[in-house]
Every structure is written in structure tokens, then in C-alpha cells.
Amino acid sequence: MAFVQTARTPSIAIARALRRAGLAQGRGKDFRVEGEYRNGERVATYVLTLTQHADETVAARADDIERWASEDGGWSFKVSVRYIDGKPRPMTTISNGPGERIREAPPTITPAPEPEPDAAPEPTAGTAVLEDPAEPEEEEQPPAAPKASVTITHTRADGTLLDGSRKGDGVFELVRPFGFRPFRSLGMLGIQRSRDHEADTWRINRATAALREAGYEVTVEIDETHRRSFAEAEAERLERAGDRAERYNDRADRAASNSTTRRNAALGALDGIEPGQPILVGHHSERRHRRAIERSDNNMRKSIEESGKATHYSHRAEAAEKYEDRRYDPNRTRRRLEKLRADLRSNERERERASDTSRYDRRIEDLNEEIAHWESVVEKARADGVKLWEADDFAPGDFARYGGSWYQVKRANPKTLSIAWNLRLAPKQVMTLEDATEWGSLGTFTIDYSKIAARCPEEAMRAFLADGKVPGTKSARAASEAQPASAVRAAQAAKPKEKRRSDSKVPKKVKVVSQWDATEADLTWLDGRGKPHKLYEPITISAPDGVKFTEAASSRPLLLAVTKLLEEKGFHYRGDGWTGGSRSGLIRAIEPVPADVEEAPPADEPDATPALEEQPEPQEAPPVEEAAADEPEPAPPVEESEPEPAPEEPPAIEPARPVEDPEELRLQRQQAAALGWSAGQAELVIAAAAGRLYRHMFGTLHCQDQPGTAGRAISNHRLSALVKAGFLMVGDPDATRRRPIRVTVDGRRAAMVWKRWMPKPVEMNREQECERLRPLLHGEQARRLARQAQEEEAKRKAAKAVFREAHERLIAWQDLQDRLWGAWARVNGIAYRTRRRPTGWVPTEEEIAEHGLDAEVVAELRADAENPAPKPVLPNLNQRPTEELPPLAADDQTPTQLDLFAIA
């Protein structure tokens, strides 16, 4: 006799009682057991009856079901029976939760009385009496049979469901276009993903109209108040994810087992057949061989198919297992909260404008509950020690790890982080602000704080890069803890900031517009907003006689005229250069010339500033005694005469400007045109010539615009090419371990001709600026390279001469060996040269006489036997690469000694 253990849970007890009543449990069956959750815990168990047969059985045996569940473990259930709108079908509920038990009596259905046959009416005047035919006429149709009734219900807890349909009755084909799908676990039709949402009245109304048009009786019941909490819905989702993981793991195991079985069957089908054995056509084994190959092929194909299924289901199982980790990831949850809060604000705005606010009240209640749930998840993660990055964790200049790379922070916004971004260089392990700056414009990109993996302070990152390392997450975390963002912001706030005052009465920019081959151009003064300045009238610039302005972008006479006009007005340029185009006009920033700064003469006029060494010395005044002796004697005074006015002093004679050598001017122009610098390379050389450039101990390059400050960091990718070209050199470290960047003689000369003749900068990208530069034309580095090239050429010529001599000796040695081998082969009767001549072989007198050997060859054989000549070896012509020349020495001159090289 088998012993049945009592039910440990109420679900098992009620399921046993219902099965005892003759009902089936499971998908597409009579009932299903569900749980009611609160705060993630099950507080009640209830039963969903899925068929009309189940409702009728439960209503008929309600007391038995309660008794059986109580006897099986002592679980108390209440079975309620209701009849709605006088319909004969019962509505049953089974639950062990709070509430009373309701038992309604079935409604009495009185059959409609059959109509009694009325007496035939008497015919009236003008009315024909027709006989009652025994059969209907051909035009008459019998009444259509009534179709079943269908109920569409919607609750927030169960979603939208359609009851009363059976497979093959045509209901599914009618409601399918409106989103209804079969739910096999419920045995009903319904709208997917309608649980915990409001009723989709658009789909429900159109499905109802389609069913009624087809002759179905449709009842629609919508209850928006019956809902479940968001925590209950989440608990069910996690439970279903666990069930999916278990189900897919089972399927993957079965598919892997089937694949292995099929593979073994495929290999076993060919047992007894040697590998590579061809089919013997016409032999008695041909049919058996072909069937074996066919079975093996089918089994192998099935094995591959099952292996693919196993991989697919294993991936599905892995996704289901990671569902909770992904859904409850704190960073993902923070992004979800941003969207939910935006939806909440939108619904609150819509509620203020709506007349009926019930719909928005329900949505706002749901959103508040969901937001509270996810906020608790984030707070729990923060309490558990999970680092959630925020705006207070970063300071400008820090580095943030995003997508496997480090990006320098430009700005820490309340919700996003502005990082350095250069799409042309991405992906890059470390992206600095210098890397993202091109043509004076900084490229940035915003990322959410939830996507950041780590933070590294700027000083620590510079130290890592100086050592040739890229920090990882752990080392960056240690550096971040040692130097928090609050300390970095405090240090940045303590630095003095330059106050810039803007005067609205002073123009900020000028705009120049000129047509092609025109003789006039328009100059407009602009304010800070780019609008024409109200206090400055536009000016028309006329070209000199015989000169025409080309497009404003390339007209050198026009730009020189604009520069001269600005100097007359007391302005000079500010910023990098002109912006805009030929049609829209060129725009450049300007500012007033400070009163205590003398404006340097324009570099475009070669005779504007004479050279210091060529100025004439002032003439010395004559001695006093000699001057007195040469003067005439004074005339006697005239009585009562008016005093004569003092003679006017002659104007001082200004020294004439020295005339520069035309060859020197021509050389300067050639040197300026041959430089081929970009704007950034020229700026680097000029800063070094002014003594403002140095390399930090961490390897970064800084430009010290103001003495006593750390200076601004600039990109150092241009330095190597300028050093190799002989324009710059890196000095020795000072007491602070900084290396000054100084100019050489060539660099000083190149900076002078660049500023004087202003050649057009070459547009280069970052890679092109790192390429080798041409040294200064006729400069010291060019002469050094020319001497090195001459020395290398002399070495190559000497090596070629040695090789030529060795080659001639090798040919002579080979000719000698050929003659000696020929004599030996004649004596020994050898026709083909497949054997080597023995070393030291000398023919006898009889062999010489018999074979008629040449006396010179015999003498060479005897000499070779006494002293064999080694085979000459050819020297190697592969020359080593040319060595790099050491950098030029720094120029001893200071920036103040050069009048043509004044650095503002």
C-alpha cells in the first residue's frame, strides 16, 4: 500500500483536491494555481479556472473541494460561486486569502411558451387569401443558427483576455488583426503585454465590432481598479525568468544528448567499410554501401541540427539566468529612472490640461510606485558599496574611463560629462584635450554618468603616461582616492583668474567683403554678437592705382590695407586668424592696442625698421674752446632797439634708413616660402624663441604665457619633427626638472623670416605634422646634412671600389679553377662537371705527354698544389642607415635682441 505524504504547501493541497474532482491541471487544461505577492512574498494562493467545465465542476462540488484541501495538510480554502446577470454559467473563485465565501443559487430559467396557432384571419376587402405552403419557397432561407457568446475582459492584474472561444470556431481569425494571440497556459485568447497596463480600447472596440458583425454575442468587461502592485509583478517576472532558465537548460541538454547520439549513429553506420572505399558498382555490396552512406549522412545532418539547437537553447538559458542581474544593475536602473521621471512629469502636465483626470491619476500612481521601487534598488546598491559616479566625483581636467578608453573631462554637468572627443583619432587609449583640439576648436562629447567605469586625476594620468603606461581600473581607483575631485576643484578655485572686461562701445570684430577683381572692399565693424556696431560706420577700402582685389580670402593687398587701417584706428588683431569665406566675407577678432605697449611696425614693410648694427653713429659736438674761437665778435648794442627774435634751430637730421641687400631679401623670401610649416608648428617655434616653452617632468609640453605660472599645456607631437629639422633643441633640466625648449640659429632665422614675410601656412593633420620637415634653406642644419651626405657618398664610392676589386679577383680565381679542372678532367676522362678536383693534384710527365697539357696550366697546377689560393670573398654592400645628427646647439641670443622678432 503506497503512502501519500501530506501536502506541504497550499498549492499542492488545492491542486490535489481539484484533480480528485476530475479536473486537469496545466497549460490548455482546466485550472492553474497562482500566487498573490506583496513586497516580494506570497501572501495568498488562488486558482484560475480556465474552462466552463471547470467552473461547473467546482460549483457542483464546492464543499467537497474545501473538505479535501482541509484534510490534506489542514489548508483552509474558500470556494465562492457567483452567477452574473442571470446567466446559467457559474463564476467560481478559490482562494485562501482574506474575504468571505459567497454561494449563490443558480438562476431559474423558465422556457419561453410556445406560441399558440392563431386562427386564420378573415380576409378583408381587397386582400387575397394565400394557402399555407407545405415547404418554403425557393427564395426563403432558414434562420441562421445562433453563434456562441464571447466575453472580453480586462483587468490590470490579468490583462486583456477573450473567453468563450474554442479551437477552430473562427474567432481567432477575426481578432488576430487586432493583436489577440493564443495563451496556451491559460487556454484563452488575449492581447500580449497587456498586464499591468490600461485597456487598449482601440483594439478591444475593433475586435468587438468584428465579432458582432460575424454574428457573435460579445460582452466587454473592463475593470481598471483591479490591479497588482509593481513589486508583485517584478517577483513574478523573476520567477518566470528562473522557470525559463530551467526549461531552456533542459532543452539544451536534450539537444546535446541527441546530437551526440546522432553523431555516434553516423559513425557507426560506416562500420565495416574501410575509409576511402569506393562504391563497387555492379557488386552485390553496392546497395548496402549506398544505404550506409545515406544513413550516415542523415544522422550527421541531424547531429549538426541538434547541436545548433543546443547552442541556441544554451544562449537562451544564459540570458534568462542573467535577467535579474541585468534588470537590477544599478547603472541601468539609473538610466531607467531618468525615463520614468520624464514620463511622470509629462503625465502631470497632461493632467493639468485634461478635464477627466482619472486616466492620468492611474498612470501617475503607477509611475510613482515604480519609481519608488527602482529608487530603493539604487539606494540598496549604494549601501552595498557599489560606486555610482555623479557630478561631484569629477573636476575639469580629470580622465574618465568610457568604453575601454580614457577621455579627459572638459566640464562636469549635472547629468552628463563633457569629454574630449576626436572622431578621427578614435579609438585611442588616452584622449586628451590637446588631441581633441584642431584649428583652435575643441571637440567634446557628452556621456551619462552611469556609463563611466573609473576616474583618474590629471596629474596621476600624466605620471602614468610619462612612464609609458596606461592605468587600469584598480590603479586609477587608488589614484582617485588619493586625490579626490573636491581637492582638485579647491586647488583650481584657489588659482587667480584673469578678469576680462568688455566695453560695449568698442568693436570686437571686423568683417571684410570683396568681389572678384574689384577695386573696392567693404569693412564693417561688428559687436560681440556679430551685429554691425552702432557707433562705427562701415568703411570702403579702395585699392591703389593699377591694383585689383581678388577674393577676400586670398587678396594680400586687401589684407595689408585692412591691417594699416586698423593701426590708424588704434586696433590690432586678436586670435588665430580669419574665418569665413569669400562670398559671406572674412571675419577676424580685434582689440584696442594697450596704451603702455608700443605697436611693432608691420612686418610686411621690409624698410620699416632698420637693422641695429647699420644705424649711423651720432656726430660728436665740437669742443667748446674751438667753437668760441670761430665765433665772430659781438656787435655793439643798439640803444632802445627791440630785441631780435632768436634764430630758429635747424631740424635734427634723421639718419637715413640703410638699404638692405637685395640678395639678402631674396634669400629671406626663398627661405620663408620653403619652410612649409603649419600654423601650429610656427606657433611652437615662436613660443620657443620667446623663451616661453618648456617640457614638464612628466613629458608634457607647456607654454608659459605669464611668468610665474605653470602655463597652458599644448600638444607635443610637433616637437620631434622640429628638433630633427634643426629648428629647436631640448635643453638640460633645471632645478625643477623642467627642460626648456630653445631655438637654434636656424630656428631664430626661420622665425624671423616667417614673421617678416608671412607665408601661407600649410594645412596639415596630426600625422602630417609628425613627418620629417625640410631644414632651413641654406641654413646650418642644411649644411650639416649636405656634409653628411657627401661623407656618405664618399663612403659608398670607396665601398664600391673595394667591391669591384674583390669581384675582379673572384672572376680571376674562377677562371683559374676552370683551367685546372679542365686539365684534371682530360687526364681522368671526365666529361661532366659533377666531381671536384682533388686538392694538390699534379699530373705526371707521362700524363702531360699523353694528353698534351699546356705548360702554363701545368705550372699553375704545381703552384696551386704548393700554395692553394683561397676563394675571394665579396664585401657586403648593404650600408647601415644614416645616423641621426646630434641636435644643433641653442642660440645664445635672447628674444629682446631681435627687433624683428618681437613677441607680444
Side-chain angles (χ1 to χ4, degrees), residues 14 39 231 262 265 347 365 370 586 588 628 862:
I14 193 63
N39 298 328
R262 287 285 189 172
N347 281 276
E365 182 183 0
E370 187 173 357
L586 288 177
R588 187 164 182 178
R862 291 173 179 172

Side-chain angles (χ1 to χ4, degrees), residues 80 221 340:
S80 299
E221 300 174 359
L340 292 175

Side-chain angles (χ1 to χ4, degrees), residues 14 17-18 21 23 45-47 49 54-70 75-82 90-97 99-104:
I14 193 63
L18 293 174
L23 301 179
T45 302
Y46 61 92
V47 177
T49 53
D55 288 330
E56 294 173 353
T57 303
V58 171
R61 309 195 66 174
D63 296 333
D64 295 338
I65 293 172
E66 291 181 355
R67 178 169 51 82
W68 292 336
S70 178
W75 303 102
S76 176
F77 279 86
K78 295 184 290 293
V79 180
S80 299
V81 182
R82 298 179 179 86
M91 301 294 291
T92 61
T93 57
I94 305 174
S95 174
N96 65 348
E100 60 179 352
R101 183 181 62 178
I102 300 174
R103 297 286 181 85
E104 296 181 357

Side-chain angles (χ1 to χ4, degrees), residues 543-548:
D545 296 339
V547 178
K548 290 186 177 181

Side-chain angles (χ1 to χ4, degrees), residues 400 402 407-411 417-421 433 436 443-447 452:
Y402 166 67
Y407 298 90
Q408 193 168 11
V409 177
K410 171 62 177 176
R411 203 167 36 254
L417 201 65
S418 297
I419 59 175
W421 183 256
L433 295 175
T444 59
F445 185 75
T446 57
I447 58 174
I452 298 173

Side-chain angles (χ1 to χ4, degrees), residues 528-575:
R529 296 177 298 175
K531 303 296 183 180
H533 203 281
K534 298 180 180 180
L535 303 179
Y536 287 77
E537 297 293 334
I539 299 176
T540 301
I541 303 175
S542 300
D545 296 339
V547 178
K548 290 186 177 181
F549 296 148
T550 58
E551 289 182 309
S554 58
S555 178
R556 183 176 179 85
L558 174 60
L559 297 183
L560 292 177
V562 172
T563 304
K564 186 175 180 180
L565 176 63
L566 292 177
E567 291 176 357
E568 295 175 355
K569 298 293 184 179
F571 292 91
H572 63 180
Y573 295 122
R574 178 174 60 86

Side-chain angles (χ1 to χ4, degrees), residues 77 254 294 380 428 456 487 619 667 708 722 730 871 883:
F77 279 86
R254 288 198 302 270
E294 184 178 359
K380 183 178 180 301
K428 196 174 184 292
C456 184
Q619 298 180 359
L667 176 61
L722 292 171
V730 182
K871 182 179 180 181
E883 298 180 357

